[in-house]
Amino acid sequence: MIDLHDAFLLTDDNEDLRRSWDGGIHFRPFDSSISLERVPVVLHFHGAYGFSDCEEVMRSVCNEAGYAFIAPNSFSRKYRRSNCIEGTTESGMFPPADLYRRAELIYAFEQVKNLGWADSDRVVLSGFSEGGEAVAVWGHLVPCRAAIISAWSCSAPPEWDWAHGLRLPNDVPILQVVSELDPWFDKPGWRPHYTTNRQSARQFFLPGSDLHEVYRLEMIQEEYRRFLIDLS
């Protein structure tokens, strides 16, 4: 049985946050330790169930675009459990989840800044599902170069207003991809909508699709590549 009190106490604990960094994926496209040029980085946040084939797809895309790929592992933390019930669209099983992702995003960005080979001025935030929510809601807390948000609608009803919208600065380039009929967002208030006041945002709402794992589509992988290359 999880002690949620203890779990909340570890939200911003540096030792526990270090576990998410140490247990994560760290990939460089080449031996940048011998290069004088610093490498741009995609800092990626996994979904509610942890690492999946998404991270392998994104790592490959980043490699092809000339980016390093770093993905903290939220489930390496002491009390972490999934906030969602697999096979359903039910959530709320781990109440500190969203605060954990905020703390992990800030902590991981600080770690990237300390990497001698990483270009901290060219860090692109990326997130899938719950990780996409973290990027949309908390990404403004770090000076990122751009953001990729996959399988998150960026919409929420009034009772969840803290999770609504894109809080990243208006001039930050954003690529958002979500299926129009994704069952996670089929309730009023959660459905995706176009953000007309952001010229820097590229939004792909896949018509007629209910696929949550949008990163599996080759056309979307190409959009990821093009987005990253255009930033270079």
Side-chain angles (χ1 to χ4, degrees), residues 84-221:
C84 301
I85 300 176
E86 196 160 3
T88 75
T89 56
E90 297 297 321
S91 63
M93 304 301 107
F94 187 72
D98 294 307
L99 294 177
Y100 267 44
R101 305 316 292 271
R102 180 188 68 178
E104 291 156 14
L105 187 152
I106 296 170
Y107 182 87
F109 194 92
E110 288 300 311
Q111 300 312 302
V112 170
K113 287 168 59 177
N114 293 330
L115 296 173
W117 52 265
D119 187 344
S120 59
D121 291 327
R122 292 191 292 165
V123 177
V124 178
L125 299 180
S126 168
F128 167 66
S129 195
E130 181 186 276
E133 175 192 4
V135 171
V137 175
W138 309 119
H140 69 285
L141 298 176
V142 299
C144 65
R145 171 69 179 86
I148 297 172
I149 298 169
S150 302
W152 177 250
S153 70
C154 298
S155 299
E159 62 270 26
W160 291 77
D161 63 339
W162 62 269
H164 180 74
L166 282 165
R167 299 187 187 178
L168 292 149
N170 283 329
D171 60 346
V172 170
I174 296 168
L175 174 62
Q176 180 195 5
V177 183
V178 63
S179 290
E180 182 183 46
L181 303 179
D182 188 321
W184 279 97
F185 311 120
D186 68 350
K187 298 177 182 176
W190 293 103
R191 296 188 179 101
H193 66 277
Y194 284 102
T195 304
T196 57
N197 64 336
R198 282 182 175 266
Q199 294 184 349
S200 60
R202 292 164 59 182
Q203 296 175 286
F204 288 84
F205 298 160
L206 303 176
S209 174
D210 62 358
L211 180 67
H212 191 60
E213 296 79 7
V214 290
Y215 59 83
R216 291 177 178 167
L217 300 175
E218 288 188 12
M219 62 173 286
I220 298 305
Q221 293 171 23

